[in-house]
């Protein structure tokens, strides 16, 4: 049989001597052999990447701008592949890794802390300092004022008891010299001391009340303050349009909004 160009038909040439009804198995065998060669060549051009990431847990990566994964080892075709690594409180790190044929490459990578996390740490330290000025210092001042008030009350009580004893001694005494000393020296001096102790106690009690009221206001205000909150803008950056593999060999398309706020 000849074609219009005068050449034999290749299909007929390849199957000369084979009856027409036996040619289909031959063709299927040839196709199976070619498929086997294709699979073999693909398997021989693959390699593995094994990750050692800091932090060791919680990290994720996007492979070739498409696939979102979280695993320690991947098997890929030989050649360069793009990776975007991210972990909570860390920056998104972009890198290109070369996969070598029939080899396992160890990849060590440390993800740096994000600027948002560093600012959050500074805010937490500042908030801790506010605890000293908003709780600890007022409590110490209140305790000091109360202690001073207790001390002046003890002095006031002693001066009062001493004056009561002087008056009892003057009332029940019989020695003219002792009575004259009590009337002219001891009792007037103890009266002056009692007045001073009484005035000191009233002043310290008033100051203590003011300090306690101010401290209570500061402590309540501190308890109602807005505490620092961490917003991870790097996660917003990482959450792009990616494909998240599922356990049923299917997938879930996840869309995110990229905001370059750094």
């Amino acid at each position: 049989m000849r074609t219009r160009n005068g050449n034999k038909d290749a299909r007929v040439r390849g199957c000369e001597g084979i009856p027409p009804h036996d040619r289909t198995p031959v063709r299927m065998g040839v196709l199976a052999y070619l498929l086997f060669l294709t699979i073999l060549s693909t398997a021989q051009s693959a390699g593995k990447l094994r990750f050692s990431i800091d932090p060791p847990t919680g990290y994720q990566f996007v492979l070739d701008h498409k696939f979102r994964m979280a695993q320690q080892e991947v098997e890929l075709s030989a050649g360069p592949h793009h990776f975007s690594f991210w972990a909570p409180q860390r920056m998104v790190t972009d890198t290109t890794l070369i996969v070598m044929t029939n080899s396992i490459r160890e990849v060590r990578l440390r993800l740096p802390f994000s600027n948002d996390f560093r600012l959050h740490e500074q805010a937490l330290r500042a908030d801790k300092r506010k605890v000293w000025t908003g709780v600890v210092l007022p409590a110490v001042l209140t305790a000091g004022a109360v202690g001073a008030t207790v001390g002046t009350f003890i002095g006031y009580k002693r001066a009062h008891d001493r004056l009561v004893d002087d008056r009892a001694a003057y009332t029940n005494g019989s020695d003219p010299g002792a009575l004259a000393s009590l009337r002219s020296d001891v009792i007037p001096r103890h009266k002056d001391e009692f007045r001073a102790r009484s005035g000191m106690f009233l002043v310290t009690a008033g100051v203590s009340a003011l300090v306690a009221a101010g401290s209570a206001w500061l402590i309540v205000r501190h308890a109602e303050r807005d505490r620092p909150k961490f917003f991870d803008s790097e996660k917003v950056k990482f959450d792009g349009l990616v494909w998240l593999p599922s356990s049923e060999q299917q997938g879930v398309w996840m869309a995110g909004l990229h905001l370059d706020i750094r």
Side-chain angles (χ1 to χ4, degrees):
M1 180 178 178
R2 298 283 181 174
T3 63
R4 293 181 181 179
N5 295 330
N7 297 324
K8 282 188 175 182
D9 192 331
R11 292 176 295 178
V12 176
R13 255 199 334 262
C15 299
E16 287 180 349
I18 301 177
H21 62 278
D22 292 335
R23 291 175 183 174
T24 300
V26 174
R27 291 174 181 173
M28 295 298 294
V30 172
L31 291 176
Y33 178 70
L34 292 176
L35 181 61
F36 172 75
L37 291 179
T38 302
I39 296 175
L40 182 62
S41 62
T42 302
Q44 290 177 347
S45 62
K48 291 184 179 181
L49 296 177
R50 185 173 296 159
F51 302 117
S52 178
I53 308 297
D54 179 18
T57 58
Y59 70 87
Q60 301 178 32
F61 60 88
V62 173
L63 170 63
D64 292 333
H65 307 284
K66 296 180 180 179
F67 308 105
R68 182 169 176 170
M69 303 179 180
Q71 54 198 69
Q72 293 183 338
E73 186 176 291
V74 291
E75 184 174 0
L76 302 169
S77 60
H81 292 272
H82 183 270
F83 288 83
S84 295
F85 288 92
W86 170 84
Q89 304 173 354
R90 305 298 178 104
M91 293 183 63
V92 176
T93 302
D94 295 307
T95 184
T96 299
L97 301 175
I98 306 299
V99 178
M100 308 300 294
T101 303
N102 296 329
S103 65
I104 300 178
R105 180 182 175 186
E106 299 285 343
V107 179
R108 298 182 180 275
L109 183 65
R110 182 182 183 277
L111 305 181
F113 286 102
S114 65
N115 294 331
D116 294 326
F117 179 73
R118 296 184 185 279
L119 292 176
H120 180 66
E121 288 286 294
Q122 294 177 4
L124 287 178
R125 287 193 290 269
D127 189 68
K128 289 182 179 179
R129 289 193 292 269
K130 290 181 180 179
V131 174
W132 286 93
T133 58
V135 176
V136 177
L137 183 59
V140 171
L141 291 176
T142 301
V146 171
T149 302
V150 171
T152 56
F153 174 77
I154 293 174
Y156 161 78
K157 184 68 170 54
R158 287 177 179 175
H160 175 269
D161 293 341
R162 189 179 300 115
L163 186 59
V164 170
D165 294 339
D166 292 340
R167 288 176 177 174
Y170 182 80
T171 302
N172 300 324
S174 58
D175 185 1
L179 294 176
S181 177
L182 286 172
R183 183 177 61 252
S184 61
D185 179 43
V186 176
I187 292 178
R189 179 161 47 84
H190 287 172
K191 280 185 178 181
D192 294 339
E193 184 179 354
F194 172 75
R195 293 191 188 98
R197 296 287 185 180
S198 177
M200 184 66 67
F201 168 68
L202 293 176
V203 170
T204 54
V207 172
S208 178
L210 291 176
V211 171
S215 298
W217 179 79
L218 288 175
I219 292 173
V220 171
R221 182 181 178 185
H222 178 80
E224 295 177 349
R225 77 193 186 283
D226 293 331
R227 299 186 179 182
K229 297 180 180 180
F230 176 60
F231 174 73
D232 197 348
S233 63
E234 291 293 318
K235 185 178 187 302
V236 177
K237 178 181 177 181
F238 180 76
D239 287 338
L241 188 63
V242 294
W243 184 78
L244 183 64
S246 66
S247 59
E248 289 130 5
Q249 303 301 324
Q250 298 176 354
V252 179
W253 285 98
M254 299 184 64
L257 179 65
H258 289 279
L259 297 174
D260 189 6
I261 61 177
R262 290 188 302 170

